Amino acid sequence: MIYLNGEFMPIEQARIPVLDRGFIFGDGVYEVIPVYSRHPFRLAEHLRRLQSSLDSIKLANPHNDATWTRLIGRLIELNEPEDQSLYMHVTRGPAKRDHAFPKDVTPTVFLMSNPLTTPPRQQVNEGVCAITAVDNRWLRCDIKAIALLPNVLLRQEAVEAGCVEAVLLREGFMTEGAASNIFVVCNDVLLAPPKNHLMLPGITYDVVLELAQAAGIRHEVREISEAELRGAQEVWLTSSTREVLAITLLDDAPVGNGKPGPMFSRMYALYQDYKNRVMRSG
Ligand code: PMP
């Protein structure tokens, strides 16, 4: 079951007009919220980031947080899996094709749920492989825009190389992954790039930094050079659906000793523990 513009329905019945600006221009924003045991994880933070994306594209939020919460709750109920990946999507709506914003148009609101598939045990235990690529995206990567063509091409490049992610480099510095944030460990210090217009402010990124802070793990938020990335003891990727994963092979070279490192194992356990605690408290 999905939600589209005021109605819940089976996805097969969902229709949008071909002139929807999401379809024509990619003029819209989205969110992906992991749902564990039917509890949306960090919902307030996701709704805050949605608001920020909408503000950035000058689109009024079609719902307040209470309405979003109700719609999301109902959609979770209507779908079977206990763990879901909840997708929210708002576009500027259908209008005669013209780049400038149309007047009096109703935004399109679409929500869907898919079963949440977190990484298999083997990926957690052995790590995953990634390539590096030039970050050729625009300069507003902080907006969670539905226009994802560069990310699609970069991720495909990774898949064709037999890898799960492309780690992006812009002018000698690491920004993020094609669909994830990236952390590195250098000299036993966890490093995270600063939030700015060159990366998406990840919800998982925040969780990892909060857990590092609470556990007394030495960490720094600062720019990370390509040399630091390539010489790192550990490299991790984080995202709502992939949680925290170690990258153990980067451009065919082992990261550290080629196995998930001790800091990763610690963070992975902290993350799972945090998730379980949040779920139990509802
Ligand atoms: N960066 C990009 C480009 C992403 O698409 C994502 C989400 N898939 C992330 C970072 C991670 O964000 P989050 O932790 O909120 O899922």
Side-chain angles (χ1 to χ4, degrees):
M1 295 291 284
I2 63 101
Y3 170 89
L4 180 63
N5 297 333
E7 283 177 68
F8 292 93
M9 64 186 88
I11 194 160
E12 296 74 22
Q13 284 172 22
R15 298 282 179 275
I16 56 150
V18 287
L19 285 182
D20 193 284
R21 288 174 64 97
F23 183 56
I24 297 287
F25 293 122
D27 184 359
V29 297
Y30 75 108
E31 275 298 319
V32 177
I33 310 178
V35 174
Y36 300 110
S37 305
R38 300 195 174 273
H39 296 300
F41 184 69
R42 295 230 152 181
L43 178 58
E45 288 81 355
H46 281 281
L47 292 178
R48 205 174 307 135
R49 188 172 64 184
L50 176 68
Q51 182 67 57
S52 156
S53 294
L54 286 167
D55 290 346
S56 297
I57 71 161
K58 301 183 174 130
L59 180 55
N61 196 333
H63 298 305
N64 59 26
D65 282 2
T67 304
W68 280 124
T69 303
R70 188 170 49 74
L71 295 175
I72 289 165
R74 184 71 189 126
L75 192 67
I76 294 170
E77 268 171 26
L78 291 172
N79 285 283
E80 252 163 51
E82 289 291 300
D83 295 346
Q84 304 178 21
S85 164
L86 206 130
Y87 178 83
M88 311 169 67
H89 174 120
V90 183
T91 79
R92 209 176 305 274
K96 184 171 179 305
R97 188 182 181 283
D98 179 16
H99 291 58
F101 295 174
K103 289 204 174 60
D104 303 323
V105 65
T106 309
T108 299
V109 177
F110 170 54
L111 305 179
M112 69 175 160
S113 164
N114 285 296
L116 178 68
T117 40
T118 47
R121 198 73 234 166
Q122 197 210 348
Q123 285 193 350
V124 175
N125 291 343
E126 288 169 26
V128 295
C129 132
I131 56 167
T132 58
V134 172
D135 192 344
N136 54 11
R137 302 172 302 163
W138 68 336
L139 296 174
R140 290 304 309 273
C141 297
D142 54 321
I143 304 175
K144 204 158 167 65
I146 59 170
L148 285 171
L149 186 55
N151 305 63
V152 166
L153 295 176
L154 290 161
R155 182 77 183 282
Q156 183 60 22
E157 211 181 300
V159 168
E160 284 170 13
C163 292
V164 309
E165 186 55 299
V167 178
L168 306 180
L169 295 162
R170 199 192 280 263
E171 291 167 6
F173 291 92
M174 195 272 294
T175 52
E176 60 177 341
S180 59
N181 290 113
I182 306 290
F183 289 76
V184 307
V185 178
C186 288
N187 301 320
D188 299 318
V189 180
L190 177 62
L191 301 179
K195 283 186 190 172
N196 57 25
H197 60 290
L198 300 179
M199 67 170 239
L200 188 80
I203 305 295
T204 322
Y205 166 102
D206 283 342
V207 175
V208 165
L209 284 180
E210 284 170 31
L211 292 173
Q213 173 76 31
I217 293 172
R218 282 177 62 205
H219 61 284
E220 265 176 53
V221 176
R222 63 158 174 84
E223 292 200 319
I224 297 164
S225 70
E226 176 171 355
E228 285 175 311
L229 170 72
R230 295 200 186 279
Q233 294 164 299
E234 302 187 23
V235 180
W236 314 341
L237 68 81
T238 68
S239 87
S240 289
T241 50
R242 290 187 285 180
E243 302 181 337
V244 191
L245 273 183
I247 294 173
T248 45
L249 201 64
L250 186 66
D251 289 338
D252 289 328
V255 176
N257 66 2
K259 295 198 164 54
M263 205 176 300
F264 167 78
S265 303
R266 185 145 178 236
M267 182 53 69
Y268 183 81
L270 288 170
Y271 193 89
Q272 297 306 318
D273 178 58
Y274 174 78
K275 222 172 75 179
N276 292 333
R277 260 187 293 132
V278 169
M279 274 161 16
R280 270 199 305 275
S281 66

